[in-house]
Amino acid sequence: MTKKDRKPEIARVDTATLDVGLFKLRSKNADPVKGQVLKKQRDDLLIEYASTYALNDVDLRIFVAALSLAEIQRDKDLFKKPKEKDKPGTQLELFDDFKTTGEATGMEAGYALISAYELATAAGLGWGSRQVKRISDSLTRMSNVRMTMRMEDRVMSGANMLSFAHLESKKPRDANIAIAISPHFAKALLGEARMYVQYSLTEMHQLQHPASVLIHSTMTSRLSLSSKRPVRTTTIKIDTLIDAIYEPTDSKAKYRDRRRNIKPALEELNNLPDWNVELDKDTLKITIQRTLHESQRKPKSVTKRKSG
């Protein structure tokens, strides 16, 4: 099987991007324009994400799918800043759209030339006529996210999350989207980032509930599984998990609704072969075990442990 024909199975993503609160569950009538700055401290480095738009679970699906597809094409398509440009969608034009500063300037970036159909399929969105606009809107929102790295008062590096261009094509399944992943995000797909996780698209494709997609990404990041640590367990309060995947609220009624709505998402996650979710009153115990082959275990229900 050639790299071009390879099915996306994982995406290498830096842990801060998955766990900073950039992607949240949002109501359908929520204002899509939401200026916000999110911060993540990593040792002496402060990572800031400035976002013009509100990003949701669909944006997360498209983002990790784009990362995975860029990794598949990386042998021929990772690039340093080219010297020439000739037509829209070329690597130089896309690189300029990153608006890089500091160390990011001249670093390698990721690039994928793909079809809207290929991206929708990798994201687990299915296919239909409205998906082209859905993808374009999502890429537009993410291209307006800027990551800045600071050390004390000094800006070390900065770049927009990604850039993209629509190319002329006669058929929806033609390679008609050029997507470039900015340097800091490309370090993760190269495996060169200091802290990154292997995010399973295979698992994501089995998830239908929007909350389960965001819990999946959040806990994958927090547990930081690797070849040296294939099994990880943690406990987390349900309300803490709700705060991680929903927009903030002071409403007790909304918390009650969210506790109720999150249960089907936990069921979905517990049905994944490598996940085990146990519920004890208001506390969750989550275990993830990465295996080399697909497990044949039957779907399970969320296990309620007896207290005392």
Side-chain angles (χ1 to χ4, degrees):
M1 182 180 291
T2 65
K3 284 200 171 189
K4 183 177 179 181
D5 298 328
R6 208 170 74 201
K7 182 180 178 181
E9 295 178 352
I10 65 164
R12 290 182 171 85
V13 194
D14 65 282
T15 55
T17 302
L18 290 181
D19 195 28
V20 75
L22 190 61
F23 303 95
K24 294 271 191 176
L25 278 180
R26 309 182 193 278
S27 61
K28 292 183 179 180
N29 58 356
D31 188 348
V33 179
K34 182 181 176 66
Q36 59 181 339
V37 177
L38 305 166
K39 300 180 180 182
K40 194 78 172 179
Q41 191 74 43
R42 184 176 289 166
D43 298 328
D44 55 353
L45 193 66
L46 178 64
I47 307 173
E48 294 181 346
Y49 294 79
S51 177
T52 305
Y53 297 95
L55 304 183
N56 59 23
D57 58 294
V58 174
D59 298 316
L60 173 63
R61 284 179 176 271
I62 292 172
F63 174 61
V64 295
L67 283 175
S68 183
L69 291 166
E71 181 182 356
I72 288 174
Q73 297 187 11
R74 71 183 185 182
D75 283 353
K76 63 176 181 178
D77 289 325
L78 274 173
F79 63 91
K80 292 184 178 179
K81 188 171 182 179
K83 298 179 180 179
E84 300 177 357
K85 77 166 123 178
D86 50 54
K87 59 183 180 180
T90 56
Q91 292 179 347
L92 178 58
E93 182 177 67
L94 292 173
F95 196 103
D96 287 343
D97 287 343
F98 293 149
K99 299 180 174 61
T100 56
T101 58
E103 295 175 359
T105 303
M107 289 171 57
E108 287 187 328
Y111 179 79
L113 181 59
I114 53 178
S115 68
Y117 173 80
E118 188 177 7
L119 183 56
T121 302
L125 296 176
W127 182 246
S129 58
R130 71 189 187 100
Q131 294 294 20
V132 174
K133 183 179 186 304
R134 194 181 192 186
I135 288 170
S136 181
D137 290 346
S138 176
L139 293 174
T140 297
R141 289 191 292 269
M142 289 188 284
S143 68
N144 282 276
V145 175
R146 184 164 186 81
M147 177 200 274
T148 304
M149 294 188 173
R150 300 175 183 273
M151 190 172 291
E152 296 179 346
D153 295 332
R154 187 158 56 103
V155 175
M156 304 296 294
S157 187
N160 288 2
M161 191 175 195
L162 57 80
S163 59
F164 74 102
H166 287 286
L167 310 179
E168 290 186 10
S169 64
K170 295 181 180 180
K171 300 178 181 179
R173 299 193 184 191
D174 288 345
N176 53 14
I177 304 178
I179 301 176
I181 311 296
S182 71
H184 288 301
F185 296 96
K187 286 181 72 175
L189 70 89
L190 280 170
E192 294 178 356
R194 272 200 291 171
M195 297 179 67
Y196 73 93
V197 292
Q198 293 189 1
Y199 182 85
S200 173
L201 273 72
T202 303
E203 290 180 344
M204 183 184 75
H205 291 164
Q206 299 175 58
L207 303 175
Q208 301 299 318
H209 198 292
S212 64
V213 175
L214 292 176
I215 296 171
H216 180 255
S217 65
T218 299
M219 299 314 299
T220 296
S221 174
R222 293 187 182 186
L223 287 171
S224 300
L225 282 97
S226 67
S227 58
K228 293 182 179 179
R229 297 184 295 184
V231 182
R232 300 298 301 275
T233 299
T234 191
T235 58
I236 187 171
K237 296 288 186 182
I238 287 184
D239 286 352
T240 302
L241 188 58
I242 286 172
D243 289 339
I245 66 171
Y246 283 93
E247 289 190 292
T249 182
D250 294 324
S251 169
K252 292 182 179 180
K254 282 189 176 181
Y255 264 109
R256 286 194 297 270
D257 289 341
R258 290 173 179 182
R259 290 187 197 106
R260 183 173 59 252
N261 293 335
I262 207 174
K263 297 295 177 65
L266 297 174
E267 289 278 357
E268 275 199 328
L269 289 165
N270 196 61
N271 287 342
L272 296 176
D274 291 342
W275 284 61
N276 189 69
V277 180
E278 297 178 14
L279 176 61
D280 183 8
K281 294 183 179 179
D282 62 349
T283 301
L284 289 165
K285 180 181 178 182
I286 300 176
T287 301
I288 309 177
Q289 178 174 345
R290 286 284 179 255
T291 55
L292 295 175
H293 304 286
E294 290 291 328
S295 172
Q296 299 302 314
R297 286 179 292 184
K298 294 179 180 179
K300 307 161 294 181
S301 298
V302 173
T303 304
K304 279 198 172 184
R305 296 188 304 182
K306 294 181 180 180
S307 58

